[in-house]
């Protein structure tokens, strides 16, 4: 079983990428597996197929295969382990060359809960590749210590100004059937979080394989959300190659340059578009360019400047066009008026 883990900052397009990957033969997209314990097992929220989590045939079978039934999962223990080794504040230790025996055991146990889900999904569906779009940075680092032997991490990035604007909008929650406010996420905090998470994935790529685990094949590749939507077939071909999936021409028949035809997935948690099926229009959501206040754009651009340049988002401000001096008006004549829209 090969795991393709999608990491990055929230609101960077991971659900969309998982959805188009899920249409390929041999792929099983599970959504945000890190949220299964709360949104699925505890709260019984809806799977993307429309059924409640405990009524979904696939998730019920996964629970039976992995744990003998979801009722056998000790949710309090999972939460304690997450607090102990699975939070962002633990990344520094997880990035080190070694762990204490006690911490390594906890990491292995915590990651093991997720790994049993991956293995069950692959076994039940016959998938070659399981996709987890959790984006949980600490879990990505934990997988480096105790994950599947064949681990591919897709570092998905999006312009931080688009990410910040996405966190400002009200969204329609298909599960609640109404518009719901998104959590408050001030621009400065969003910019710093964007930089922190993406820098962590850059570091993870540089760390490479652990010297004490040569059997673990870990690869990290960065891709931009905007590039995925600029050329969906080309991006999916590159992703399939990264995931080790051979493609035949018919495998991409569901995908066009500006649309995708999507079936019914079984993803848990994630963007509301996980409930969409049929023909889906693909376009870059760049409403932030017109709607994000200029002051916030400048603040976010300043706080994220190093990575903006590294990821190709930084562009110099075009110079202000000089306005040639107007000739003096003839004596007694009215001053010339500027046409609407002309720069002055």
């Amino acid at each position: 079983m090969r795991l393709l883990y999608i990491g990055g900052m929230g609101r960077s397009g991971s659900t969309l990428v998982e959805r188009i990957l899920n249409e390929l033969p041999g792929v099983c997209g599970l959504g945000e597996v890190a949220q299964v314990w709360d949104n699925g097992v505890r709260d019984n929220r809806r799977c993307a197929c429309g059924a409640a989590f405990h009524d979904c045939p696939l998730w019920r079978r996964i629970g039976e295969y992995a744990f003998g039934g979801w009722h056998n999962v000790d949710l309090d223990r999972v939460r304690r382990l997450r607090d102990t080794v699975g939070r962002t504040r633990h990344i520094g230790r997880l990035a080190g060359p070694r762990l204490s025996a006690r911490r390594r055991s906890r990491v292995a146990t915590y990651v093991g809960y997720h790994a049993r889900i991956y293995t069950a999904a692959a076994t039940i569906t016959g998938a070659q590749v399981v996709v987890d779009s959790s984006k949980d940075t600490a879990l990505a680092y934990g997988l480096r210590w105790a994950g599947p032997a064949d681990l591919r991490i897709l570092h998905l990035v999006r312009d931080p100004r688009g990410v910040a604007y996405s966190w400002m909008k009200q969204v329609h929650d298909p599960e609640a059937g109404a518009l719901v406010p998104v959590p408050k996420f001030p621009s400065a905090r969003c910019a710093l979080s964007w930089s922190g998470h993406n820098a962590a994935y850059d570091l993870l790529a540089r760390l490479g394989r652990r010297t004490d685990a040569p059997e673990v094949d870990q690869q990290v590749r960065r891709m931009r959300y905007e590039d995925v939507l600029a050329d969906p077939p080309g991006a999916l071909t590159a992703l399939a190659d990264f995931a080790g999936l051979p493609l035949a021409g018919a495998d991409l028949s569901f995908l066009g340059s500006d649309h995708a035809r999507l079936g019914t997935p079984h993803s848990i948690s994630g963007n509301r578009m996980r409930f969409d099926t049929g023909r889906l229009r693909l376009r870059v959501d760049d409403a932030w360019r017109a709607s994000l206040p200029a002051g916030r754009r400048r603040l976010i651009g300043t706080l994220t400047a190093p990575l903006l340049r590294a990821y190709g988002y930084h562009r110099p401000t075009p110079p202000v066009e000089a306005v040639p001096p107007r000739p003096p008006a003839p004596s007694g004549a009215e001053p010339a008026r500027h046409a609407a829209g002309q720069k002055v």
Side-chain angles (χ1 to χ4, degrees):
M1 188 273 299
R2 183 176 303 125
L3 174 64
L4 178 59
Y5 187 89
I6 304 179
M9 176 75 175
R11 306 300 174 91
S12 293
S14 61
T15 301
L16 173 62
V17 170
E18 184 206 329
R19 290 295 309 277
I20 61 176
L21 277 167
N22 192 55
E23 294 300 316
L24 295 177
V27 176
C28 176
L30 294 177
E32 300 181 2
V33 177
Q35 305 301 323
V36 162
W37 320 111
D38 293 336
N39 293 350
V41 181
R42 184 191 66 191
D43 296 340
N44 197 31
R45 299 189 68 176
R46 287 169 58 197
C47 168
C49 72
F53 177 82
H54 289 291
D55 294 329
C56 171
L58 178 60
W59 282 108
R60 185 169 61 247
R61 291 181 66 192
I62 289 174
E64 291 169 353
Y65 185 98
F67 305 104
W70 292 111
H71 61 279
N72 289 321
V73 176
D74 186 343
L75 293 181
D76 289 334
R77 188 184 187 205
V78 174
R79 281 192 290 269
R80 287 195 301 271
L81 287 166
R82 182 172 57 198
D83 291 339
T84 303
V85 297
R87 297 294 188 188
T88 304
R89 61 180 176 269
H90 301 299
I91 289 176
R93 290 190 179 93
L94 295 173
R98 62 185 60 85
L99 296 176
S100 67
R102 184 179 183 185
R103 181 171 293 273
R104 189 163 181 169
S105 175
R106 288 174 174 173
V107 170
T109 303
Y110 177 62
V111 173
Y113 278 100
H114 302 81
R116 288 161 77 174
I117 292 176
Y118 305 145
T119 300
T123 303
I124 292 167
T125 65
Q128 296 172 258
V129 177
V130 172
V131 182
D132 178 358
S133 58
S134 289
K135 301 178 295 298
D136 186 303
T137 309
L139 178 56
Y141 272 77
L143 287 166
R144 177 173 175 262
W145 286 98
D150 196 343
L151 172 63
R152 314 290 170 95
I153 297 177
L154 174 64
H155 175 197
L156 190 64
V157 299
R158 181 185 180 186
D159 191 304
R161 293 157 293 197
V163 171
Y165 180 68
S166 181
W167 280 105
M168 292 169 54
K169 297 185 296 184
Q170 283 191 324
V171 298
H172 183 270
D173 182 358
E175 298 185 54
L179 281 172
V180 296
V182 298
K184 296 287 186 181
F185 212 171
S187 298
R189 179 185 168 196
C190 184
L192 294 173
S193 183
W194 182 91
S195 293
H197 284 289
N198 286 304
Y201 280 100
D202 288 341
L203 173 60
L204 187 61
R206 292 195 297 272
L207 291 174
R209 298 184 185 184
R210 292 195 355 258
T211 56
D212 62 335
E215 73 282 359
V216 177
D217 182 13
Q218 173 195 300
Q219 301 180 41
V220 181
R221 177 175 296 183
R222 186 195 311 138
M223 182 173 285
R224 302 195 318 174
Y225 155 83
E226 293 83 0
D227 294 337
V228 172
L229 290 176
D231 180 15
L236 185 56
T237 300
L239 286 170
D241 179 70
F242 177 55
L245 285 169
L247 284 184
D251 293 340
L252 296 181
S253 59
F254 71 95
L255 188 64
S257 60
D258 62 353
H259 72 279
R261 294 188 181 277
L262 302 176
T264 301
H266 287 281
S267 56
I268 188 70
S269 198
N271 188 285
R272 64 193 182 281
M273 63 86 56
R274 65 193 176 93
F275 292 98
D276 296 337
T277 58
R279 184 183 173 96
L280 178 71
R281 183 186 174 194
L282 302 178
R283 62 180 181 85
V284 175
D285 181 4
D286 59 355
W288 66 268
R289 296 182 182 276
S291 302
L292 188 66
R296 293 191 182 189
R297 290 201 305 270
R298 286 193 296 270
L299 174 63
I300 295 168
T302 299
L303 293 175
T304 61
L307 290 183
L308 276 181
R309 285 189 288 269
Y311 299 160
Y313 289 121
H314 181 75
R315 296 291 183 271
T317 303
V320 178
E321 296 180 14
V323 179
R326 285 176 287 172
S331 177
E334 291 187 3
R337 299 183 184 275
H338 290 279
Q342 182 178 342
K343 287 187 176 181
V344 295

